[in-house]
Amino acid sequence: SWNPDTGKGAVLAFRQSSPEASHAFALENVPPHRRFKVVSAPGGERIATVSSAALRRGLAIDLPAQDTAKVLLISALDR
């Protein structure tokens, strides 16, 4: 779920039986030349501050164990 107008969204990552513990999730329609904070949900722990380009390249999410999930919330820091 991503709203390019507000610069807010969420990434829901699920690892079922994949042997890969990490995957890069590339977001589309990311406004250029902005910075975003990435926090975990529901706890709100700050994970990273990233650029528009980094989100378009792919946000790496690690899920060390199979049958796990992670939710990250993304929001713009500037306009």
Side-chain angles (χ1 to χ4, degrees), residues 38-54:
V38 181
V39 300
S40 64
E45 175 189 350
R46 192 171 199 133
I47 304 298
T49 300
V50 296
S51 66
S52 296

Side-chain angles (χ1 to χ4, degrees), residues 22-67:
S22 182
H23 182 79
F25 293 84
L27 276 66
E28 297 179 5
N29 301 315
V30 177
H33 312 296
R34 295 183 69 186
R35 298 193 56 75
F36 300 85
K37 71 175 178 178
V38 181
V39 300
S40 64
E45 175 189 350
R46 192 171 199 133
I47 304 298
T49 300
V50 296
S51 66
S52 296
L55 288 178
R56 286 192 298 271
R57 280 192 306 271
L59 184 61
I61 298 177
D62 297 324
L63 293 169
Q66 292 181 338
D67 298 317

Side-chain angles (χ1 to χ4, degrees), residues 1-10 27 29-31 34-38 52 55 73-79:
S1 157
W2 174 251
N3 183 329
D5 295 328
T6 63
K8 291 184 179 181
L27 276 66
N29 301 315
V30 177
R34 295 183 69 186
R35 298 193 56 75
F36 300 85
K37 71 175 178 178
V38 181
S52 296
L55 288 178
L73 304 177
I74 302 167
S75 58
L77 291 173
D78 53 25
R79 231 167 182 202

